[in-house]
Every structure is written in C-alpha cells, then in structure tokens.
C-alpha cells in the first residue's frame, strides 16, 4: 500500500503502512518527530495502535471477537477455560495429551506458600478485594523469583494461572471470617474455585454442575480483549523490564476502575438503586444523557463495540437459561432487560453506539452463583489473566518493543524568573 503522506509545519514526510491479516491499516510514525518536529495527540489512544498482535481480533462495527482466530461464540460454548488459557498463552488449543498435562500442572501449583496466609491476616474484613488481589499477586515475586525471564519463567506462568483463584477465594473467606478452604486436586478449575469459595469444613460441598459450566463460560468470555486499559497497563509495566507478577498486579489495579472491570459491580449497584427508587427508568436514562450529571448508564457503551458486544449477547442468553433451570427469579435481570429496551429506543444511545457491554449482564450470573457483588471484578480478573499473560509474553518477544514512554504537548507557564518567598507578597 502507498505510504501515508503528511505535510505539516513546512515539512513533507512519508510513513510506511502496515496492513493486518484482517485488513486493518496503520501507518508507522516512528520517524514522525524526527522528520516533521511534530507529534500526534490522541488522549485515550482511541486512534493509536501500540503494537502488532496475533492474539485477539475485535471488529467493533460487526461485533466480532476472536481469540487466535476462533470465534468467542465457539469458544464460549464448545471449549473450556483451561483450554482457552492454553490457546492464549501457548498459541494453540491443546491436544488431549497437552490438555491433561496442563490441567495437571495447574492443579499441582494451586497451593499458596503457607507464609502467604499472613498477608490476608493483615487486612481488615472490608478490604477491597481487588486491592488484596493486586498486592498478593505482586508478592508472588518474593516467593517465586524469575518471572521476568529465565528458566523458571514457564513454571511461574503456570503458578500464576493456578494460584490466582486460590488467592481470590482466600481473600473472600478472610472477608467473611471463615477458614480457608484449600484447593482440591480432584476438581477442575471452575469447580475447585467454587469449592474454595463456598465449602465449609463441617459440610460436604459439591458445586452445581450448571453453575460450574456457567462460570467456565464467563471466564472464557473475559479471557482477552486486545489492547484495553488493563492489558495496555500490563504491557507498559512489563516494557520497563518489571517481572510478570508485578506487571499483572498493575493490570489488576487498572481493571478495578468502574469505567473498566469495576463496571460489573457498578451495574448491579445501579440496578439496585433504580429498583429501590421505584424502577423509574426514565429518570436514570435522562440522568445518563444529561451532560451536567456525572451519572452514566453502567454496563453501557464501549470504546470499540459500536453495535453490540458479542460477549453481552452470550451472557444475556445464558442468564435466562441458567436462572430458569435453577428456578431463580432475579428482579434485577428483568430490570436490566427493561433498561436495555428503553435505552435502545432512545436516540442518544443509538446515535452514540451505546449498547450493553460484557459487564451489563455478567453480574446477574455471578449473583446466581452466590458470588458477592464486591467480588465481581475479581471474577473479571480471573478470566482476564491468561490474556494478560499472553499479551505480556508477546510484548517481551516483540523486537519492536521499546519502553512505553508517550510524549506530550506542554501548555503550562513559559520560562519565568524565580521570586524568593519574602518577595511573593
Ligand atoms: C470494559 O476496552 C475494552 O476492551 C474494555 C473491556 C475489556 O474486555 O477489557 O471491554 C471491558 O471495560 C467494558 C466497559 C465497562 N465500562 C462501563 O460500562 C462504564 C460505562 N461506560 C462508559 O463510561 C464508556 O462507554 C466507556 C468507558 C466504556 C467508553 O468510553 P469512551 O470510549 O471514552 O467513550 P466516551 O466517554 O468518549 O463516550 C462517547 C459519548 C459521550 O457523549 P458525547 O460527549 O459524544 O455527547 O457517549 C457518551 C459520552 O458521554 N457515553 C455515555 C456512556 N458511555 C459513553 N453516556 C451515558 N452512559 C454511558 N454509559
């Protein structure tokens, strides 16, 4: 393809063009400042690619999401989270033999070092679960050095994938004052997590098969999403040479924000608020449209998806089936559907391409599993972990990777003389 041409500041420059396998077009501005003296300005990086990647493809206009070429619909309904984690981290869906070995590795690395329990003891019961998760993941570097590269790197990836669900479940047990339930080697990933969350020492607990499959599906739906805020954070921190655990800890922190992974918690809180306010949808839709009102319709809108989020479609259709099969009637699901209908009949939302995203319905299913609202974003992190790891490894291996260091346009004071304190009036 012809190079991109730019005429600016009295300079004319050409920039090489890259075309991806899905015909996305980007032009490389590596030499922009050197050849024109100008930089680009793109707050939020909505028009800026940070890398070339082979992991996940999203088409926001067509509502397409694929992990290494497989559609999210196929993976969510036909694969397992552990197989998808293998696909993302190692590049291919595993053979039966590879899957058995991967599952065995994840099973046998799911314990935490006993000394790590002291970290949980130091937290108050109401400690924000994402803060606990981020801190303890970062602490893994103290117990398992070598997660930046080197011979322990691969086993440290397995350790992280295996231990995150244990850290999450232990933080929950600590928050409710119950004893920790240790991982079981006879249970799969999702079943073992639910067992660690809900079993109590005095009773036999067998996770509900439908809920286990539903959790596995939710984890798949959250497993990667190209260069979103938290993934870009993981890449940025890793680009400085920081190790994997530290980089993932930063990604967990970025995900916790209500505009990102924290939205699933915010959606349920919003629906509950509307319910308590008598279900006055119009009031809240009008508030969301009012530029002077900070209220936003949580779970609505997306930087990339402008017609629909394919993950929301899968979750919404499963929510009905799961609740019906379990005989659960959740008033918030009916509220969510009514809110979606009203919003999507409103030009404000349609004109801006604001549709339900992955967070709008996911909380309904987490509630059906008995997962507390303040743990919803932790569930998002559990799902996103293999994607973060895959993206971090790709960044490390990419010869084009440089330490992330964006520029700026300075708009502050120009040079001025220093005035001693006594003369400043
Ligand atoms: C996730 O990037 C990813 O891939 C993220 C994610 C992943 O898997 O990693 O998909 C996960 O984070 C999903 C998004 C969860 N967040 C929410 O549900 C929070 C509510 N939504 C938003 O705040 C917002 O839509 C964002 C943050 C998701 C996207 O923000 P953008 O792309 O910066 O869009 P914007 O703020 O520039 O909004 C464009 C317009 C604005 O109006 P105008 O200035 O054009 O008049 O749409 C309006 C916004 O005011 N708008 C909303 C709205 N979202 C956008 N108005 C009301 N309610 C909303 N939810």
């Amino acid at each position: 393809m012809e190079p991109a041409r730019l005429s600016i500041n009295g300079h004319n420059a050409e920039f090489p063009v890259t075309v991806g396998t899905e015909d996305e077009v980007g032009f490389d501005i590596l030499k922009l400042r050197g050849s024109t003296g100008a930089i680009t300005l793109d707050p939020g990086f909505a028009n800026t690619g940070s890398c070339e990647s082979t992991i996940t493809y999203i088409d926001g206009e067509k509502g397409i999401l694929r992990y290494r070429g497989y559609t999210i619909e196929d993976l969510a309904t036909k694969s397992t989270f552990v197989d998808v984690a293998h696909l993302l981290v190692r590049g291919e869906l595993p053979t039966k033999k590879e899957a058995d070995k991967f599952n065995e590795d994840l099973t046998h690395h799911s314990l935490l070092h006993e000394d790590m329990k002291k970290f949980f003891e130091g937290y108050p019961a109401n400690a924000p679960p994402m803060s606990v998760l981020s801190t303890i993941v970062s602490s893994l570097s103290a117990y398992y050095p070598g997660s930046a590269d080197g011979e322990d790197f691969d086993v440290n990836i397995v350790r992280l994938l295996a231990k995150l669900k244990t850290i999450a479940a232990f933080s929950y047990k600590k928050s409710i004052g119950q004893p920790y339930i240790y991982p079981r080697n006879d249970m799969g990933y999702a079943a073992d997590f639910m067992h660690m969350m809900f079993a109590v020492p005095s009773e036999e607990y067998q996770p509900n098969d439908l809920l286990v499959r539903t959790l596995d599906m939710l984890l798949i739906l959250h497993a990667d999403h190209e260069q979103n805020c938290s993934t870009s954070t993981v890449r940025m921190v890793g680009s400085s040479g920081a190790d994997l655990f530290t980089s993932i800890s930063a990604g967990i922190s970025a995900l916790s924000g209500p505009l990102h992974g924290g939205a699933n918690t915010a959606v349920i809180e919003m629906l509950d608020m509307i319910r308590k306010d008598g279900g006055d949808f119009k009031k809240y839709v009008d508030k969301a449209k009012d530029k002077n009102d900070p209220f936003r319709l949580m779970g609505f809108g997306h930087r990339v998806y402008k017609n629909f989020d394919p993950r929301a479609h899968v979750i919404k259709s499963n929510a009905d089936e799961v609740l019906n099969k379990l005989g659960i009637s959740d008033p918030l699901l009916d509220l969510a559907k009514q809110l979606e209908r009203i919003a999507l009949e409103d030009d404000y939302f349609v004109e801006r391409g604001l549709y339900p995203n992955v967070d709008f319905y996911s909380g309904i299913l987490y509630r059906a599993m008995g997962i507390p609202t303040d743990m919803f974003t932790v569930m998002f992190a559990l799902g996103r972990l293999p994607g973060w790891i895959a993206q971090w490894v790709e960044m490390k291996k990419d010869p084009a990777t440089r330490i992330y260091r964006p520029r700026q346009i300075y708009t502050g004071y120009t040079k001025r003389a220093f005035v001693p304190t006594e003369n400043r009036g």
Side-chain angles (χ1 to χ4, degrees), residues 354-380:
L354 303 178
Y355 295 83
N357 57 49
V358 66
D359 295 306
F360 191 64
Y361 285 105
S362 55
I364 300 294
L365 287 173
Y366 292 138
R367 278 158 60 93
M369 293 170 199
I371 293 168
T373 304
D374 67 358
M375 284 282 289
F376 286 3
T377 310
V378 170
M379 302 310 294
F380 194 140

Side-chain angles (χ1 to χ4, degrees), residues 225 228 258-260 263 288 291 296-303 311 348 352 354 357 359 380 384:
H225 215 239
N228 58 83
L259 294 186
H260 191 14
K291 292 301 168 201
R296 285 200 155 184
L297 220 47
M298 300 313 279
F300 256 71
H302 198 278
R303 174 62 60 76
R311 302 167 297 179
Y348 172 92
R352 291 168 176 77
L354 303 178
N357 57 49
D359 295 306
F380 194 140
R384 185 52 51 90

Side-chain angles (χ1 to χ4, degrees), residues 67-68 70 75 83-94:
Y67 299 156
R68 298 199 188 275
Y70 295 100
L75 293 172
D83 281 7
V84 167
H86 188 284
L87 170 67
L88 291 168
V89 173
R90 295 187 176 168
E92 294 293 346
L93 285 169

Side-chain angles (χ1 to χ4, degrees), residues 301-349:
H302 198 278
R303 174 62 60 76
V304 177
Y305 293 124
K306 298 305 176 190
N307 285 311
F308 65 94
D309 182 334
R311 302 167 297 179
H313 275 198
V314 175
I315 294 172
K316 181 181 177 183
S317 59
N318 268 272
D320 280 321
E321 180 199 350
V322 169
L323 297 191
N324 290 340
K325 282 186 178 173
L326 293 171
I328 296 174
S329 166
D330 186 343
L332 296 192
L333 176 58
D334 299 332
L335 272 175
K337 287 180 180 177
Q338 290 177 64
L339 187 56
E340 176 186 4
R341 184 176 47 73
I342 290 172
L344 297 189
E345 288 168 356
D346 189 304
D347 289 344
Y348 172 92
F349 293 90

Side-chain angles (χ1 to χ4, degrees), residues 48-64:
T48 297
S50 62
C51 60
E52 293 182 14
S53 179
T54 63
I55 299 169
T56 291
Y57 172 65
I58 299 174
D59 182 319
E61 284 66 35
K62 296 175 185 163
I64 292 173

